[in-house]
Amino acid sequence: SSMFPDVPVFPVLGDDDLVPSSVYPGGAGSAKWLLAKAAALWEKWLPASALVTLQWGGYYTVMAPTGTRVVVLNTAVCDIQNMHNFIDGGASARTQLSWLQSVLTGARAAREPCLITGHIPPGVYSGCWGNYSAAYEELLSQYTDVVIGQLFGHQHSGSFRLLRSPSTTTTPAYGLAYVTPSLTAFRDQNPSFRLYQLSHGPVMVSDVEQYNLHL
């Protein structure tokens, strides 16, 4: 806030924001202690409407000053290391996907480009369990005219994921999810960060710059 006072910030929950790591209880309201704290810390950046769903399920949407709708997901509901995702049968994940569909439908009607971000990328290799990932990829295949980009992290190394529906290697890709590297040197990797540039007319991710600190 002090160094970049005029830069919008859209925080995202990660698996290591939980105690113990990757343990996010299923069901609405069961992680109230965490989500209430997140809302209190992030209320300086987010409008009241975003704080409502943040405290409910850890996800929210907000309109950026550029006219792009930012959609922030809580990927703890698909973390393959989170046993609660298997205990509750994926109920939390389905609730979030239903919310996401309603947001994308509304954005299409309002002609709002959407930028989706979350912590764990889709795909079992990325750490997102298969049923949720397949449902997510199927859903987004229906909104290629709305979603202009997908930004994730978690893997610590910079890469990307091709999205297909159905999620098989023989299906042509319809989208791309960027996986941003981390600032930590976890697993002997150099600290890195990325800058994504959005073009206008049409709005889309037009360029990526990645910076590394060679240790």
Side-chain angles (χ1 to χ4, degrees):
S1 298
S2 60
M3 298 299 295
F4 303 98
D6 300 321
V7 176
V9 176
F10 309 107
V12 178
L13 286 173
D15 57 314
D16 289 326
D17 293 322
L18 310 172
V19 180
S21 178
S22 295
V23 178
Y24 180 85
S30 57
K32 185 177 180 180
W33 65 270
L34 170 67
L35 302 181
K37 184 64 175 179
L41 291 172
W42 299 350
E43 63 180 355
K44 57 186 175 184
W45 294 311
L46 303 177
S49 58
L51 296 175
V52 172
T53 55
L54 173 63
Q55 293 182 82
W56 173 261
Y59 46 82
Y60 65 89
T61 181
V62 64
M63 184 65 74
T66 57
T68 298
R69 176 164 296 281
V70 178
V71 183
V72 176
L73 302 178
N74 176 12
T75 57
V77 300
C78 80
D79 188 347
I80 60 174
Q81 298 186 57
N82 183 9
M83 63 179 181
H84 292 283
N85 291 333
F86 303 94
I87 293 175
D88 77 354
S92 299
R94 290 193 296 272
T95 299
Q96 180 169 225
L97 288 176
S98 295
W99 170 84
L100 175 59
Q101 183 173 19
S102 68
V103 170
L104 295 178
T105 300
R108 173 180 283 163
R111 298 182 179 274
E112 299 168 347
C114 290
L115 184 67
I116 296 178
T117 186
H119 184 68
I120 303 175
V124 174
Y125 174 78
S126 302
C128 181
W129 63 278
N131 289 344
Y132 173 92
S133 183
Y136 173 84
E137 293 186 50
E138 168 63 27
L139 174 61
L140 262 66
S141 71
Q142 304 171 34
Y143 292 92
T144 56
D145 59 318
V146 177
V147 178
I148 63 168
Q150 301 170 63
L151 311 179
F152 295 92
H154 185 63
Q155 291 296 299
H156 294 263
S157 59
S159 62
F160 61 88
R161 297 286 184 272
L162 294 177
L163 303 186
R164 296 177 169 88
S165 180
S167 184
T168 64
T169 56
T170 58
T171 307
Y174 70 82
L176 181 69
Y178 294 96
V179 182
T180 303
S182 69
L183 285 172
T184 68
F186 182 66
R187 291 179 178 170
D188 298 323
Q189 298 181 97
N190 290 317
S192 307
F193 71 94
R194 279 184 185 173
L195 295 179
Y196 295 93
Q197 182 175 343
L198 298 182
S199 63
H200 298 279
V203 180
M204 60 184 295
V205 177
S206 59
D207 197 12
V208 179
E209 295 180 0
Q210 183 162 314
Y211 296 86
N212 304 286
L213 176 62
H214 294 283
L215 299 179

